[in-house]
Amino acid sequence: MAKVSIISPSILSADFTRLADQIHEAEAAGAGWFHVDVMDGHFVPNLTMGPFVVEACRRSTKLPLDVHLMVEAPDALFEPFAEAGADWLTVHIEACPHIHKSLEAIHALGMRAGVALNPGTPAGAISEVLPQVDLILVMTVDPGFSGGKYVPEMLDKIRSVRSWQEAGRTKALIAVDGGISAQTVPAVAQAGAEVFVAASAVFKHPQGIRAGIHALQAALELAPA
Ligand code: DX5
Ligand code: ZN
């Protein structure tokens, strides 16, 4: 199966006083999507942003907006995020006891549906809903903050999901999120990841956003934009 490579900068590390400019810079450098980290202070310790920010991103770019819900009881937020312009909506399996119903609800609102797995959650936790999943997000940090410590043991989980793809059990894209940098991205790509979420490696790169994206592209052996 053909493999894609999409860099999805997480705006969590952006300078919010210049959000649109930073989005434009990342887009010009070759970002494929933008990732929006929504945290509620309960599912994870941090508190971040909601549909209002997605709506601001929507007005700043036409690229797909990839919204990652790190919240307890996410279902009540599906509609507001759809209205704000989210294209992809990812929920955590750990927060969704009725995952089949949740995925159906995301699709009914016209969005693509993703499921995220924390480092301690086995790939098999989503095996029963694979036909409904458009994106599998393997967390490569314990979620909550940008700049977290990359967990290399997640390579095996990425390989397991990739083997499902190769066996035709899922058509979902394989995404990784957390601690992704020019140093760590070759191994996750080799294991099968296709969407690379990166916050600090893009927005906090010492030479700027363009250099951050180009460093990831070079590590992935992609042609620069
Ligand atoms: C982690 C978030 C990530 C985070 C990644 O809880 O889901 O998307 O912003 O940050 P970096 O790339 O700095 O590890
Ligand atoms: Zn994220």
Side-chain angles (χ1 to χ4, degrees), residues 65-69 71 73-83 86-93 95-96 98-116 129 132-135:
L65 298 177
D66 154 35
V67 177
H68 177 191
L69 296 183
V71 306
D75 299 55
L77 297 171
F78 295 166
E79 199 167 339
F81 278 107
E83 278 170 11
D87 300 285
W88 293 77
L89 199 65
T90 294
V91 293
H92 269 261
I93 185 68
C96 290
H98 306 291
I99 186 68
H100 182 271
K101 190 171 157 189
S102 299
L103 295 168
E104 261 182 4
I106 294 171
H107 284 145
L109 289 162
M111 297 178 288
R112 311 295 296 273
V115 184
V129 288
Q132 286 180 287
V133 178
D134 302 308
L135 176 138

Side-chain angles (χ1 to χ4, degrees), residues 10 35-37 39 68 70 137 139 177 197:
S10 160
H35 184 88
V36 183
D37 284 309
M39 308 187 190
H68 177 191
M70 287 161 277
L137 180 59
M139 293 304 300
D177 184 6
V197 175

Side-chain angles (χ1 to χ4, degrees), residues 2-175:
K3 206 169 155 293
V4 298
S5 286
I6 296 167
I7 295 173
S8 185
S10 160
I11 63 163
L12 189 56
S13 287
D15 175 352
F16 273 66
T17 64
R18 302 185 297 125
L19 184 58
D21 288 349
Q22 299 225 318
I23 286 175
H24 295 152
E25 193 174 339
E27 184 169 342
W33 297 359
F34 285 95
H35 184 88
V36 183
D37 284 309
V38 177
M39 308 187 190
D40 67 350
H42 295 278
F43 182 71
V44 289
N46 200 2
L47 188 60
T48 60
M49 50 201 134
F52 191 75
V53 174
V54 171
E55 199 268 324
C57 293
R58 185 70 296 155
R59 283 188 281 115
S60 307
T61 181
K62 291 192 165 47
L63 289 180
L65 298 177
D66 154 35
V67 177
H68 177 191
L69 296 183
M70 287 161 277
V71 306
E72 284 180 1
D75 299 55
L77 297 171
F78 295 166
E79 199 167 339
F81 278 107
E83 278 170 11
D87 300 285
W88 293 77
L89 199 65
T90 294
V91 293
H92 269 261
I93 185 68
E94 303 85 2
C96 290
H98 306 291
I99 186 68
H100 182 271
K101 190 171 157 189
S102 299
L103 295 168
E104 261 182 4
I106 294 171
H107 284 145
L109 289 162
M111 297 178 288
R112 311 295 296 273
V115 184
L117 301 119
N118 278 338
T121 304
I126 60 169
S127 61
E128 305 310 313
V129 288
L130 288 179
Q132 286 180 287
V133 178
D134 302 308
L135 176 138
I136 299 170
L137 180 59
V138 177
M139 293 304 300
T140 38
V141 294
D142 285 298
F145 297 90
S146 291
K149 193 173 171 311
Y150 170 74
V151 185
E153 291 79 10
M154 293 305 106
L155 290 174
D156 277 344
K157 197 188 296 186
I158 300 165
R159 287 187 199 105
S160 299
V161 174
R162 175 71 176 158
S163 71
W164 290 344
Q165 249 189 4
E166 284 171 345
R169 288 186 63 193
T170 179
K171 291 191 170 63
L173 289 173
I174 305 171

